[in-house]
Amino acid sequence: MDFDVLFTSQLDALKEEGNYRIFAELERQSGAFPKAKCHDNEAPDHVTVWCSNDYLGMGQNPIVTQRMKEAIDCYGAGAGGTRNISGTNHAHLCLERELADLHNKEAALLFTSGYVSNWAALSTLGARLPDAVILSDALNHASMIEGMRHARCKKVIWKHNDVADLERKLAALPANAPKIVAFESVYSMDGDIAPIKEVVEVAEKYGAMTYLDEVHAVGMYGPRGGGVAEELGLMDRITLIEGTLGKAYGVMGGYITGSAALCDFIRSFASGFIFTTALPPAVAAAAQASIAHLKTSTIEREGQRRQVARLRAALDRAGIPHIDNPSHIIPVMIKDPVKCRMLSDYLMKEWGVYVQPINYPTVPKGTERLRFTPSPLHSDADIDHLVAALSHLWKQCAIAHAVA
């Protein structure tokens, strides 16, 4: 059997649908974010990155990079193994204490990514708690869905951000069944924010545990960057808060926070923690420096919010349709996979603007978009250039403008 033929036939179908993913070869330039060197022969030598999840540019913050350099000199490059064999380093424990403090929890537990922390925590909770039921928001991230699938427990899907539907489904479950309400604070594709207070109140009414994914919110919201739950004063009422170190904190890794017993439970039973090599200590040290900095500095968040508002206002003036939401994520709707890919290519090659098309299966068919994430390091000139490019291409590609 020629397996390459089988592979190629499915790849060809993906290309025909307009959903084949092409990765740009870029070279982030330290100290020049959001500029990057481009190795695509058909694009300018340097482009402006508009779709990074390094929301505050902390990946190139001198405090963070200097701490990583110092940590490499101190600890070396790698962790040396899994945490349970030889990979637990002082830097890991310092970071876990920093994270527990960030969310006002007793403990925290590190993972190699936010995907792994969701997968490992939810699969362990669902599998190890007898007769557990996980109630999942309909738009939860793939990592959460994968964790629930591996849990092999009962799963109930509630309508996105619909607290009344959540309550109906909680009320229908046995009173003595361990119930876990899993949801996100900021949803990364539409940029909407969950009604966290209302969800927590309903969960408490039915004795359910709350599992909140704050990956697109940590570092960004709240007086110390603890996320939307901190901003709303709700952290102490949420059982488990999950986050990432790879977005606003600019480094890499994922984590959970909660009670000491909860974190020890996941540490002791989660295969995604037990059997994987630990984060490099230098990465952990850099992440701790980033978190500590953003606990006291508001300059980055204030600058980012200013540029988000500026871009939204410029898009409105130009009639470019985008989802109106309360977050830092600006989805510009194209609603066609081929045009979405084409616009992305034109922006890169003709205007030096890098933004990846967001097509199915990341978003439902017919909701294809370009997802912009302004940072405090995008200049006013960068924003003006982007809107000029979009306005030009909107006419060239015959895409409908927003209705005033």
Side-chain angles (χ1 to χ4, degrees), residues 115 118-119 122-124 126-127 134 136 141-155:
Y115 189 104
N118 267 333
W119 174 83
L122 280 167
S123 64
T124 302
I134 301 178
S136 174
H141 190 262
S143 59
M144 301 175 79
I145 295 169
E146 191 71 10
M148 290 179 260
R149 182 180 296 123
H150 279 264
R152 296 184 179 179
C153 65
K154 182 175 181 178
K155 293 168 283 291

mmCIF file of all heavy atoms in Angstrom, residues 115 118-119 122-124 126-127 134 136 141-155:
data_model
loop_
_atom_site.group_PDB
_atom_site.id
_atom_site.type_symbol
_atom_site.label_atom_id
_atom_site.label_comp_id
_atom_site.label_asym_id
_atom_site.label_seq_id
_atom_site.Cartn_x
_atom_site.Cartn_y
_atom_site.Cartn_z
ATOM 1 N N TYR A 115 -1.921 23.759 26.469
ATOM 2 C CA TYR A 115 -2.670 22.624 25.913
ATOM 3 C C TYR A 115 -2.545 21.424 26.843
ATOM 4 O O TYR A 115 -3.532 20.774 27.185
ATOM 5 C CB TYR A 115 -2.126 22.279 24.516
ATOM 6 C CG TYR A 115 -2.961 21.263 23.766
ATOM 7 C CD1 TYR A 115 -3.803 21.673 22.738
ATOM 8 C CD2 TYR A 115 -2.912 19.907 24.072
ATOM 9 C CE1 TYR A 115 -4.582 20.759 22.042
ATOM 10 C CE2 TYR A 115 -3.692 18.985 23.393
ATOM 11 C CZ TYR A 115 -4.522 19.412 22.379
ATOM 12 O OH TYR A 115 -5.304 18.510 21.696
ATOM 13 N N ASN A 118 -4.480 21.793 30.263
ATOM 14 C CA ASN A 118 -5.911 21.524 30.123
ATOM 15 C C ASN A 118 -6.180 20.040 29.923
ATOM 16 O O ASN A 118 -7.055 19.461 30.564
ATOM 17 C CB ASN A 118 -6.483 22.310 28.939
ATOM 18 C CG ASN A 118 -7.042 23.653 29.344
ATOM 19 O OD1 ASN A 118 -7.479 23.849 30.474
ATOM 20 N ND2 ASN A 118 -7.053 24.590 28.413
ATOM 21 N N TRP A 119 -5.453 19.455 29.004
ATOM 22 C CA TRP A 119 -5.651 18.038 28.702
ATOM 23 C C TRP A 119 -5.418 17.172 29.936
ATOM 24 O O TRP A 119 -6.225 16.304 30.278
ATOM 25 C CB TRP A 119 -4.701 17.619 27.568
ATOM 26 C CG TRP A 119 -4.721 16.151 27.288
ATOM 27 C CD1 TRP A 119 -5.602 15.471 26.508
ATOM 28 C CD2 TRP A 119 -3.817 15.175 27.807
ATOM 29 N NE1 TRP A 119 -5.306 14.129 26.496
ATOM 30 C CE2 TRP A 119 -4.215 13.931 27.287
ATOM 31 C CE3 TRP A 119 -2.710 15.224 28.656
ATOM 32 C CZ2 TRP A 119 -3.541 12.745 27.597
ATOM 33 C CZ3 TRP A 119 -2.045 14.047 28.962
ATOM 34 C CH2 TRP A 119 -2.458 12.821 28.441
ATOM 35 N N LEU A 122 -8.104 18.125 33.088
ATOM 36 C CA LEU A 122 -9.486 17.702 32.874
ATOM 37 C C LEU A 122 -9.612 16.190 32.717
ATOM 38 O O LEU A 122 -10.553 15.580 33.231
ATOM 39 C CB LEU A 122 -10.072 18.412 31.651
ATOM 40 C CG LEU A 122 -10.535 19.848 31.902
ATOM 41 C CD1 LEU A 122 -10.806 20.567 30.591
ATOM 42 C CD2 LEU A 122 -11.776 19.873 32.791
ATOM 43 N N SER A 123 -8.662 15.573 32.029
ATOM 44 C CA SER A 123 -8.735 14.122 31.881
ATOM 45 C C SER A 123 -8.563 13.418 33.222
ATOM 46 O O SER A 123 -9.227 12.417 33.503
ATOM 47 C CB SER A 123 -7.679 13.626 30.880
ATOM 48 O OG SER A 123 -6.372 13.876 31.343
ATOM 49 N N THR A 124 -7.697 13.952 34.078
ATOM 50 C CA THR A 124 -7.475 13.349 35.393
ATOM 51 C C THR A 124 -8.681 13.531 36.301
ATOM 52 O O THR A 124 -9.132 12.584 36.962
ATOM 53 C CB THR A 124 -6.222 13.952 36.054
ATOM 54 O OG1 THR A 124 -5.101 13.737 35.191
ATOM 55 C CG2 THR A 124 -5.948 13.305 37.403
ATOM 56 N N GLY A 126 -11.833 14.077 35.450
ATOM 57 C CA GLY A 126 -12.970 13.298 34.965
ATOM 58 C C GLY A 126 -12.804 11.802 35.152
ATOM 59 O O GLY A 126 -13.782 11.095 35.420
ATOM 60 N N ALA A 127 -11.573 11.330 35.043
ATOM 61 C CA ALA A 127 -11.329 9.890 35.156
ATOM 62 C C ALA A 127 -11.247 9.413 36.604
ATOM 63 O O ALA A 127 -11.656 8.301 36.917
ATOM 64 C CB ALA A 127 -10.038 9.530 34.418
ATOM 65 N N ILE A 134 -18.609 16.332 33.511
ATOM 66 C CA ILE A 134 -18.024 17.611 33.126
ATOM 67 C C ILE A 134 -19.024 18.346 32.250
ATOM 68 O O ILE A 134 -19.500 17.812 31.245
ATOM 69 C CB ILE A 134 -16.699 17.416 32.367
ATOM 70 C CG1 ILE A 134 -15.682 16.656 33.220
ATOM 71 C CG2 ILE A 134 -16.124 18.777 31.969
ATOM 72 C CD1 ILE A 134 -14.364 16.374 32.519
ATOM 73 N N SER A 136 -19.370 21.355 29.826
ATOM 74 C CA SER A 136 -18.438 22.134 29.016
ATOM 75 C C SER A 136 -19.160 23.181 28.175
ATOM 76 O O SER A 136 -20.142 22.882 27.493
ATOM 77 C CB SER A 136 -17.664 21.189 28.097
ATOM 78 O OG SER A 136 -16.854 21.886 27.189
ATOM 79 N N HIS A 141 -11.913 25.404 24.171
ATOM 80 C CA HIS A 141 -10.741 25.145 23.340
ATOM 81 C C HIS A 141 -10.537 23.650 23.094
ATOM 82 O O HIS A 141 -10.958 22.805 23.896
ATOM 83 C CB HIS A 141 -9.498 25.731 24.025
ATOM 84 C CG HIS A 141 -8.284 25.729 23.175
ATOM 85 N ND1 HIS A 141 -7.312 24.749 23.263
ATOM 86 C CD2 HIS A 141 -7.870 26.580 22.199
ATOM 87 C CE1 HIS A 141 -6.351 25.006 22.396
ATOM 88 N NE2 HIS A 141 -6.670 26.111 21.729
ATOM 89 N N ALA A 142 -9.857 23.340 21.995
ATOM 90 C CA ALA A 142 -9.591 21.944 21.631
ATOM 91 C C ALA A 142 -8.866 21.183 22.733
ATOM 92 O O ALA A 142 -9.098 19.978 22.924
ATOM 93 C CB ALA A 142 -8.775 21.897 20.342
ATOM 94 N N SER A 143 -7.991 21.856 23.475
ATOM 95 C CA SER A 143 -7.256 21.180 24.547
ATOM 96 C C SER A 143 -8.194 20.725 25.659
ATOM 97 O O SER A 143 -7.996 19.662 26.265
ATOM 98 C CB SER A 143 -6.184 22.111 25.121
ATOM 99 O OG SER A 143 -6.758 23.305 25.625
ATOM 100 N N MET A 144 -9.223 21.515 25.939
ATOM 101 C CA MET A 144 -10.208 21.134 26.949
ATOM 102 C C MET A 144 -11.062 19.974 26.443
ATOM 103 O O MET A 144 -11.333 19.015 27.182
ATOM 104 C CB MET A 144 -11.080 22.333 27.313
ATOM 105 C CG MET A 144 -10.291 23.519 27.857
ATOM 106 S SD MET A 144 -11.300 24.994 28.141
ATOM 107 C CE MET A 144 -12.085 24.569 29.689
ATOM 108 N N ILE A 145 -11.457 20.056 25.182
ATOM 109 C CA ILE A 145 -12.257 18.982 24.586
ATOM 110 C C ILE A 145 -11.476 17.677 24.591
ATOM 111 O O ILE A 145 -12.009 16.611 24.921
ATOM 112 C CB ILE A 145 -12.678 19.375 23.154
ATOM 113 C CG1 ILE A 145 -13.615 20.579 23.197
ATOM 114 C CG2 ILE A 145 -13.332 18.202 22.439
ATOM 115 C CD1 ILE A 145 -13.874 21.220 21.851
ATOM 116 N N GLU A 146 -10.193 17.752 24.258
ATOM 117 C CA GLU A 146 -9.356 16.553 24.247
ATOM 118 C C GLU A 146 -9.230 15.960 25.654
ATOM 119 O O GLU A 146 -9.273 14.741 25.837
ATOM 120 C CB GLU A 146 -7.973 16.894 23.693
ATOM 121 C CG GLU A 146 -7.098 15.696 23.395
ATOM 122 C CD GLU A 146 -7.563 14.887 22.195
ATOM 123 O OE1 GLU A 146 -8.472 15.346 21.460
ATOM 124 O OE2 GLU A 146 -7.031 13.787 21.991
ATOM 125 N N GLY A 147 -9.080 16.815 26.657
ATOM 126 C CA GLY A 147 -9.007 16.333 28.026
ATOM 127 C C GLY A 147 -10.278 15.634 28.450
ATOM 128 O O GLY A 147 -10.240 14.571 29.090
ATOM 129 N N MET A 148 -11.420 16.207 28.100
ATOM 130 C CA MET A 148 -12.706 15.583 28.445
ATOM 131 C C MET A 148 -12.900 14.260 27.716
ATOM 132 O O MET A 148 -13.461 13.305 28.269
ATOM 133 C CB MET A 148 -13.836 16.552 28.117
ATOM 134 C CG MET A 148 -13.898 17.759 29.045
ATOM 135 S SD MET A 148 -15.228 18.885 28.623
ATOM 136 C CE MET A 148 -14.364 20.148 27.717
ATOM 137 N N ARG A 149 -12.432 14.201 26.484
ATOM 138 C CA ARG A 149 -12.551 12.956 25.725
ATOM 139 C C ARG A 149 -11.755 11.838 26.396
ATOM 140 O O ARG A 149 -12.226 10.713 26.534
ATOM 141 C CB ARG A 149 -12.058 13.184 24.286
ATOM 142 C CG ARG A 149 -12.193 11.960 23.397
ATOM 143 C CD ARG A 149 -11.700 12.233 21.994
ATOM 144 N NE ARG A 149 -12.516 13.256 21.324
ATOM 145 C CZ ARG A 149 -12.050 14.379 20.810
ATOM 146 N NH1 ARG A 149 -10.761 14.654 20.893
ATOM 147 N NH2 ARG A 149 -12.854 15.232 20.221
ATOM 148 N N HIS A 150 -10.554 12.171 26.832
ATOM 149 C CA HIS A 150 -9.715 11.161 27.483
ATOM 150 C C HIS A 150 -10.207 10.813 28.883
ATOM 151 O O HIS A 150 -9.877 9.751 29.411
ATOM 152 C CB HIS A 150 -8.264 11.641 27.537
ATOM 153 C CG HIS A 150 -7.523 11.443 26.257
ATOM 154 N ND1 HIS A 150 -6.717 10.359 26.007
ATOM 155 C CD2 HIS A 150 -7.491 12.189 25.121
ATOM 156 C CE1 HIS A 150 -6.217 10.432 24.796
ATOM 157 N NE2 HIS A 150 -6.664 11.539 24.233
ATOM 158 N N ALA A 151 -11.006 11.680 29.495
ATOM 159 C CA ALA A 151 -11.533 11.396 30.831
ATOM 160 C C ALA A 151 -12.506 10.221 30.806
ATOM 161 O O ALA A 151 -12.639 9.487 31.792
ATOM 162 C CB ALA A 151 -12.231 12.634 31.387
ATOM 163 N N ARG A 152 -13.188 10.050 29.679
ATOM 164 C CA ARG A 152 -14.155 8.962 29.500
ATOM 165 C C ARG A 152 -15.245 8.980 30.575
ATOM 166 O O ARG A 152 -15.759 7.933 30.979
ATOM 167 C CB ARG A 152 -13.447 7.606 29.477
ATOM 168 C CG ARG A 152 -12.494 7.456 28.297
ATOM 169 C CD ARG A 152 -11.866 6.093 28.218
ATOM 170 N NE ARG A 152 -10.982 5.993 27.071
ATOM 171 C CZ ARG A 152 -10.269 4.906 26.754
ATOM 172 N NH1 ARG A 152 -10.346 3.831 27.530
ATOM 173 N NH2 ARG A 152 -9.489 4.915 25.701
ATOM 174 N N CYS A 153 -15.573 10.152 31.030
ATOM 175 C CA CYS A 153 -16.682 10.298 31.966
ATOM 176 C C CYS A 153 -17.858 10.911 31.211
ATOM 177 O O CYS A 153 -17.753 11.223 30.024
ATOM 178 C CB CYS A 153 -16.275 11.171 33.147
ATOM 179 S SG CYS A 153 -15.910 12.896 32.695
ATOM 180 N N LYS A 154 -18.963 11.111 31.908
ATOM 181 C CA LYS A 154 -20.114 11.737 31.270
ATOM 182 C C LYS A 154 -19.800 13.200 30.981
ATOM 183 O O LYS A 154 -19.225 13.896 31.823
ATOM 184 C CB LYS A 154 -21.343 11.636 32.171
ATOM 185 C CG LYS A 154 -22.598 12.226 31.536
ATOM 186 C CD LYS A 154 -23.830 11.993 32.399
ATOM 187 C CE LYS A 154 -25.065 12.584 31.729
ATOM 188 N NZ LYS A 154 -26.303 12.343 32.525
ATOM 189 N N LYS A 155 -20.194 13.665 29.796
ATOM 190 C CA LYS A 155 -19.967 15.052 29.398
ATOM 191 C C LYS A 155 -21.288 15.681 28.968
ATOM 192 O O LYS A 155 -22.076 15.032 28.274
ATOM 193 C CB LYS A 155 -18.951 15.120 28.258
ATOM 194 C CG LYS A 155 -17.555 14.694 28.667
ATOM 195 C CD LYS A 155 -16.647 14.485 27.484
ATOM 196 C CE LYS A 155 -16.906 13.171 26.775
ATOM 197 N NZ LYS A 155 -16.503 11.997 27.572
#
